[in-house]
Amino acid sequence: MQKKILVTGAAGFIGFHLSQKLCANNWDVFGLDNLNNYYDLSLKEDRLNLLLPQNNFKFFKIDLVEKESIKKLFEEEKFDYVVNLAAQAGVRYSLENPYAYVDSNLSGFLNILEGCRHNPVKHLVYASSSSVYGANTKMPFSVHDNVDHPVSLYAATKKANELMAHTYSNLYKIPTTGLRFFTVYGPWGRPDMALFIFTKKIAEGKPIDVYNNGKMKRDFTYIDDIVDGIFKLIPSIPEPNPNWNGNDPDSATSFAPYKLFNIGNNQPVELLRFIEVIEDKLGKKAIKNFMPIQPGDVPATYADVDDLINAVGFKPNTLIEDGVAKFVEWYKDYYKIGKN
């Protein structure tokens, strides 16, 4: 029997790459996406056009908030596994359009949980975010630390996803694993992310806004490393922790079949160094416009990934220089830069 897996957000950056890997490994992949216009729709469509020709990939254009459509899909297809990557992304956009986050990240996620409840799956893996660490300053960030001080609504919805998942793991024994992603980058990346914005503006000779005067640090993680980690985790079903203690609660495990993992590079890079690498790969200098830190942003992210290493042998091994080079090469090819 081939394994049936639902990947939500399949036309998105991580969902696209994960779907490619699953298809290549003979999984039956059911991709779901609402194809919204949060960023350039043609990029999503071009990703999807690479997936559609594969005979073990099937696409559904559904929004997570469409309760009846999600219910019907789960009832008809009876998935073995679910990876929920669909969400309204972006910290800064959550300041402008908060309702989009509640609809997609809370109501939408509830529909996925209900689908798993009424049509039991072996494992639900879902996207959380490094943004849940909020005001925490102890580095590296650990999944065993308290994360009760988010600094953006986006972060609050991702923390809520973890709490919702725990509730369903407890009540209905659904095995759930939350993944706190740390600044994912690479080919086919999101146009609202720093690498894409910087590459585009530097290539066009336009100034770039450098927040926190360049003193930001990010645990930039290459897409192939992220996908490898997710792929290894899907069949790794979380078990209740027999040593879990309510007097000293561990937030990363539970008496229920529930786990949380950081998925990052474990090597933070200062923003100015990141820009230097982009300049080097583009062969062009940036015009920098130094700015204060933006509301909702955190000055640094740094992932403790020991738990993920111990669980599935996760090993991020892409250097920032190599990852950025691959992105720039893709960008120039995709947008036909330097070609007649």
Side-chain angles (χ1 to χ4, degrees):
M1 287 280 288
Q2 274 192 294
K3 291 162 284 193
K4 291 178 75 168
I5 186 163
L6 173 66
V7 178
T8 73
F13 174 33
I14 301 173
F16 158 68
H17 283 279
L18 178 64
S19 296
Q20 277 195 318
K21 186 171 180 90
L22 288 163
C23 284
N25 283 272
N26 299 314
W27 287 65
D28 278 336
V29 182
F30 294 75
L32 179 150
D33 206 291
N34 67 356
L35 297 174
N36 69 15
N37 62 357
Y38 168 63
Y39 62 75
D40 183 11
L41 188 55
S42 63
L43 184 62
K44 297 180 183 182
E45 288 169 341
D46 287 344
R47 292 182 190 128
L48 200 50
N49 288 336
L50 290 175
L51 292 170
L52 287 170
Q54 303 187 63
N55 60 15
N56 54 339
F57 180 82
K58 193 172 179 183
F59 180 68
F60 297 87
K61 186 178 183 294
I62 299 173
D63 194 304
L64 286 191
V65 298
E66 295 169 23
K67 186 167 92 172
E68 290 307 315
S69 299
I70 297 287
K71 182 171 180 271
K72 184 166 176 271
L73 182 65
F74 271 86
E75 284 170 355
E76 289 179 354
E77 298 299 345
K78 300 284 191 259
F79 302 111
D80 297 307
Y81 299 89
V82 175
V83 179
N84 185 60
L85 299 170
Q88 180 56 63
V91 167
R92 289 166 194 166
Y93 186 62
S94 68
L95 294 145
E96 300 163 33
N97 193 353
Y99 292 98
Y101 291 77
V102 171
D103 291 344
S104 182
N105 301 6
L106 299 183
S107 299
F109 188 54
L110 179 62
N111 290 336
I112 293 293
L113 288 168
E114 281 288 291
C116 294
R117 170 192 173 186
H118 294 292
N119 306 275
V121 299
K122 292 185 174 77
H123 192 188
L124 165 63
V125 178
Y126 62 95
S128 184
S129 166
S130 60
S131 67
V132 299
Y133 289 103
N136 288 21
T137 53
K138 186 182 128 198
M139 298 278 177
F141 291 145
S142 168
V143 283
H144 304 284
D145 291 340
N146 177 290
V147 288
D148 281 345
H149 297 87
V151 294
S152 70
L153 182 67
Y154 170 66
T157 64
K158 287 301 184 179
K159 164 76 172 171
N161 285 169
E162 296 175 1
L163 298 173
M164 292 162 76
H166 185 270
T167 304
Y168 273 66
S169 292
N170 169 44
L171 291 174
Y172 311 113
K173 304 300 174 262
I174 301 164
T176 66
T177 297
L179 296 177
R180 293 176 178 170
F181 291 111
F182 280 71
T183 318
V184 189
Y185 76 99
W188 295 99
R190 278 176 23 210
D192 62 323
M193 299 286 279
L195 176 56
F196 207 112
I197 294 167
F198 290 164
T199 301
K200 183 176 191 292
K201 290 195 169 177
I202 295 168
E204 293 170 355
K206 293 177 180 172
I208 60 171
D209 290 339
V210 182
Y211 291 102
N212 203 27
N213 297 305
K215 299 295 180 205
M216 305 281 251
K217 277 192 170 184
R218 288 290 179 269
D219 204 344
F220 294 103
T221 316
Y222 190 64
I223 184 63
D224 290 2
D225 293 332
I226 287 280
V227 165
D228 186 52
I230 303 170
F231 183 76
K232 286 176 175 169
L233 264 174
I234 291 165
S236 179
I237 316 294
E239 297 277 348
N241 176 3
N243 300 316
W244 196 89
N245 179 354
N247 283 328
D248 183 20
D250 170 20
S251 47
T253 65
S254 175
F255 51 87
Y258 169 91
K259 278 269 181 75
L260 287 174
F261 291 105
N262 285 333
I263 185 160
N265 199 43
N266 192 231
Q267 286 187 26
V269 174
E270 194 167 78
L271 195 56
L272 289 177
R273 171 61 189 147
F274 190 59
I275 293 165
E276 272 177 16
V277 176
I278 301 168
E279 291 173 325
D280 179 55
K281 303 309 174 188
L282 273 174
K284 202 168 180 183
K285 285 287 178 192
I287 306 159
K288 301 182 194 77
N289 178 27
F290 288 100
M291 307 272 285
I293 193 165
Q294 280 206 312
D297 268 354
V298 295
T301 64
Y302 178 7
D304 177 340
V305 292
D306 286 354
D307 285 21
L308 195 52
I309 292 166
N310 293 334
V312 293
F314 175 68
K315 192 166 182 286
N317 54 16
T318 308
L319 297 171
I320 197 83
E321 293 78 8
D322 297 337
V324 169
K326 285 175 184 170
F327 173 82
V328 169
E329 190 181 320
W330 168 81
Y331 182 90
K332 287 161 114 177
D333 181 61
Y334 184 75
Y335 291 102
K336 307 197 166 32
I337 291 169
K339 294 181 181 178
N340 296 324

